[in-house]
């Protein structure tokens, strides 16, 4: 079996590693060249750390990996620190690692396992045979400056994995569009030289006070990177009435202007520009399987509506896809090539839905509620003074539950998820349906 992967981010490189380790011929096409920057909070929850451990990727603190204890939540004049829970299936620490280093280390880890990674290959479309099955991709070759070199190249494969992020030209070229019945987020972030660089907690602001004390729309973070800087950013969901109407970079400036001066979140301490990106949530692009093509990570909208986390789900989806591919390959070999590999791979979509569908459905309801300021204010006023309740909320939002559901909190979360249907990942909503989350123009780079 020959596999092509579009994109060498966390999803693409993770899949490449597992496939190469299994002896499958795998090539990754990456449109940029490493090292390259990605817009992200750079925070890795224990769910993502588990995937890093499964890969066997070293992450020593002395080499740019900064461990953290848990979440520090700030809202309504209160601050509460919540250590990562003790859950048998997850480590009890998170990490901060800039995507500049994280993505390259993942890619090199896959290369060391035997994957071929071709940089500066920008995939423009998927290729299909007469029956409509995906048989490869076409890529434009880029020069060292990132411009098109005027040359294209076609790559053929038995299976293509689209791991090319929210914009996913691979899926779009096949007519697989975003669903407008799913939440969408926008995040902006920058770095500041700051004495808070060595903070042991991932800090989340559930309310954003501006310079004049007025609350700003959205939810923010401050993550100490450990290299002398802090990653400071904010996100907003399209369930908010302000979504699509704001200059999000200016919102970030107003928020940081109201912070204590000793933190150093000032224009003169800013490192790099403010950059933004869309967060595709709750399976907002489906189906996740088409003949010859699987969608991974952000390309399939696999970002949690609860907390905007995408890296862990990207890496998990890649691991699942690799397992299906390895299994299909071995079954085909055993059957002398007569095994229906496509029928086997089609189960990937249902498997992903079974893993996170109900969690994402709850997350969609959560996203709708927090878009209402009165509801959010009441929830914070009720929850912040009660640490035991907030610990439960953190476990729910970060999806950190014991699969055996032995503890009380685990059982409650399992009951909640059992009460809602798993988010569908097979049929897009009809064009004339009532749009609960209407997609609006996203402006992050005015």
């Amino acid at each position: 079996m020959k596999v092509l992967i579009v994109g060498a981010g966390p999803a693409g490189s993770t899949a490449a590693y597992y496939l190469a380790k299994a002896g499958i011929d795998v090539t990754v096409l990456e449109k940029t060249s490493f090292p390259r920057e990605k817009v992200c909070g750079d925070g890795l929850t224990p769910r993502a750390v588990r995937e890093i451990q499964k890969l066997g990727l070293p992450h020593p603190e002395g080499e740019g990996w900064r461990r953290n204890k848990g979440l520090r939540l700030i809202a309504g004049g209160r601050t509460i620190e919540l250590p990562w829970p003790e859950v048998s299936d997850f480590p009890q620490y998170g990490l901060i690692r800039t995507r500049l280093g994280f993505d390259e280390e993942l890619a090199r880890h896959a290369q060391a396992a035997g994957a071929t990674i071709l940089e500066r290959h920008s995939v423009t479309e998927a290729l299909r045979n007469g029956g409509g099955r995906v048989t490869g991709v076409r890529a434009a070759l880029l020069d060292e400056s990132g411009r098109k070199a005027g040359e294209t190249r076609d790559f053929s494969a038995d299976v293509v994995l689209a791991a090319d992020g929210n914009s996913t030209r691979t899926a779009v070229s096949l007519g697989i569009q975003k669903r407008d019945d799913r939440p969408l987020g926008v995040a902006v972030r920058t770095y500041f030289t700051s004495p808070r660089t060595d903070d042991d907690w991932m800090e989340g602001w559930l309310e954003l006070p501006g310079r004049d004390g007025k609350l700003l729309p959205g939810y923010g973070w401050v993550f100490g990177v450990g290299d002398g800087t802090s990653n400071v950013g904010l996100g907003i969901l399209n369930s908010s009435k302000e979504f699509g109407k704001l200059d999000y970079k200016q919102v970030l400036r107003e928020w940081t202007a109201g912070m204590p001066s000793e933190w150093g979140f000032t224009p003169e301490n800013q490192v790099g520009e403010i950059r933004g990106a869309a967060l595709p949530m709750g399976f907002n692009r489906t189906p996740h399987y088409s003949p010859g093509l699987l969608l991974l990570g952000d390309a399939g909208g696999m970002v949690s509506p609860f907390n905007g986390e995408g890296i862990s789900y990207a890496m998990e989806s890649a691991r699942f896809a690799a397992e299906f591919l390895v299994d299909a390959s071995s079954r085909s070999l055993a059957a002398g090539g007569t095994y229906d590999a496509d029928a086997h791979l089609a189960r990937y979509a249902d498997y992903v839905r079974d893993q996170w569908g109900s969690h994402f459905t709850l997350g969609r309801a959560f996203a709708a509620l927090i878009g209402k300021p009165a509801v959010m204010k009441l929830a914070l006023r009720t929850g912040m003074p009660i640490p035991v309740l907030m610990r439960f909320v953190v476990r729910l939002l970060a999806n950190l539950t014991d699969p055996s559901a032995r503890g009380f909190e685990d059982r409650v979360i399992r009951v909640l998820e059992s009460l809602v249907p798993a988010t569908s990942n097979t049929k897009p909503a009809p064009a004339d349906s009532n749009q609960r989350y209407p997609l609006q123009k996203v402006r992050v780079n005015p």
Side-chain angles (χ1 to χ4, degrees):
M1 179 181 285
K2 184 175 183 180
V3 178
L4 271 176
I5 301 177
V6 184
S13 292
T14 296
Y17 171 83
Y18 285 119
L19 292 171
K21 286 287 285 186
I24 289 179
D25 182 354
V26 56
T27 298
V28 185
L29 305 179
E30 165 58 38
K31 69 178 180 180
T32 62
S33 57
F34 292 106
R36 53 106 166 101
E37 190 176 9
K38 284 289 182 180
V39 177
C40 187
D42 300 332
L44 302 166
T45 69
R47 192 172 190 96
V49 176
R50 180 185 66 173
E51 296 305 309
I52 291 172
Q53 292 177 334
K54 286 180 178 292
L55 282 171
L57 179 67
H59 47 283
E61 291 196 73
E63 297 181 15
W65 302 87
R66 179 160 182 78
R67 295 195 179 195
N68 56 71
K69 302 174 181 177
L71 289 177
R72 177 190 297 122
L73 299 179
I74 299 174
R78 293 178 179 270
T79 299
I80 182 171
E81 292 182 343
L82 303 166
W84 295 117
E86 293 185 31
V87 184
S88 62
D89 204 35
F90 298 97
Q92 204 177 348
Y93 64 93
L95 291 168
I96 302 295
R97 176 67 162 140
T98 66
R99 293 289 298 275
L100 189 72
F102 178 54
D103 286 16
E104 182 170 17
E105 288 199 32
L106 273 178
R108 302 311 176 208
H109 193 59
Q111 273 185 317
T116 298
I117 296 183
L118 302 179
E119 300 174 39
R120 299 196 298 275
H121 282 65
S122 179
V123 170
T124 57
E125 61 181 311
L127 303 176
R128 291 181 285 186
N129 62 17
R133 189 181 192 281
V134 173
T135 58
V137 300
R138 177 167 294 147
L141 276 58
L142 309 181
D143 60 24
E144 292 186 2
S145 65
R147 297 188 179 91
K148 290 184 178 180
E151 180 183 353
T152 63
R153 182 180 172 188
D154 290 352
F155 294 82
S156 61
D158 297 301
V159 180
V160 174
L161 306 184
D164 44 352
N166 175 58
S167 60
T168 182
R169 291 185 181 180
T170 310
V172 171
S173 72
L174 299 173
I176 305 174
Q177 300 297 327
K178 294 178 182 177
R179 298 180 60 154
D180 55 15
D181 62 339
R182 297 289 185 262
L184 179 75
V186 167
V188 294
R189 67 97 178 98
T190 191
Y191 297 90
F192 292 98
T193 301
S194 170
R196 298 199 55 193
T197 186
D198 293 325
D199 198 336
D200 291 329
W201 298 83
M202 293 174 65
E203 185 171 281
W205 290 62
L206 305 183
E207 294 177 331
L208 302 182
R211 183 180 349 216
D212 58 1
K214 181 181 178 182
L215 291 181
L216 301 166
Y219 315 93
W221 67 82
V222 177
F223 297 162
V225 180
D227 62 354
T229 68
S230 292
N231 181 316
V232 183
L234 62 86
I236 187 170
L237 293 169
N238 65 344
S239 55
S240 169
K241 65 180 182 180
E242 291 91 353
F243 186 85
K245 303 175 183 177
L246 299 172
D247 177 345
Y248 303 111
K249 294 181 178 182
Q250 185 58 29
V251 175
L252 179 60
R253 295 186 189 102
E254 291 180 17
W255 176 42
T256 53
M259 291 183 174
S261 59
E262 60 267 25
W263 291 357
F265 299 154
T266 59
E268 55 268 25
N269 288 338
Q270 186 174 320
V271 180
E273 61 181 313
I274 299 174
R275 301 185 65 193
L279 302 176
M281 298 177 170
F283 295 151
N284 84 329
R285 196 184 301 274
T286 59
H288 290 142
Y289 175 79
S290 302
L293 177 73
L294 284 73
L295 305 187
L296 311 184
D298 285 16
M302 298 176 192
V303 174
S304 171
F306 275 114
N307 61 358
E309 180 178 7
I311 291 178
S312 65
Y313 298 105
M315 297 178 74
E316 285 182 67
S317 69
R319 175 163 56 86
F320 300 153
E323 289 170 354
F324 274 97
L325 284 163
V326 171
D327 194 28
S329 178
S330 62
R331 288 170 184 255
S332 294
L333 287 172
T338 61
Y339 182 73
D340 188 350
D342 278 339
H344 184 79
L345 295 177
R347 295 167 50 202
Y348 162 79
D350 289 335
Y351 187 80
V352 169
R353 182 196 61 201
D354 290 344
Q355 294 297 308
W356 314 316
S358 294
H359 182 74
F360 283 178
T361 298
L362 281 178
R364 288 166 58 195
F366 175 79
L369 286 174
I370 66 173
K372 303 179 187 300
V375 174
M376 185 64 174
K377 186 175 182 179
L378 176 62
L380 292 175
R381 185 183 303 165
T382 302
M384 284 295 287
I386 309 175
V388 66
L389 176 59
M390 295 306 293
R391 282 195 292 271
F392 169 78
V393 170
V394 167
R395 291 191 67 170
L396 175 63
L397 269 58
N399 202 6
L400 298 175
T401 59
D402 192 318
S404 63
R406 289 174 294 186
F408 174 74
E409 293 171 329
D410 297 305
R411 293 197 299 272
V412 172
I413 292 173
R414 291 292 182 235
V415 168
L416 287 174
E417 292 183 349
S418 71
L419 296 176
V420 298
T423 297
S424 170
N425 62 8
T426 55
K427 293 182 180 180
D432 60 350
S433 65
N434 292 325
Q435 297 179 6
R436 187 173 185 181
Y437 297 99
L439 293 182
Q440 304 173 47
K441 184 176 180 181
V442 176
R443 180 165 59 93
V444 293
N445 291 307

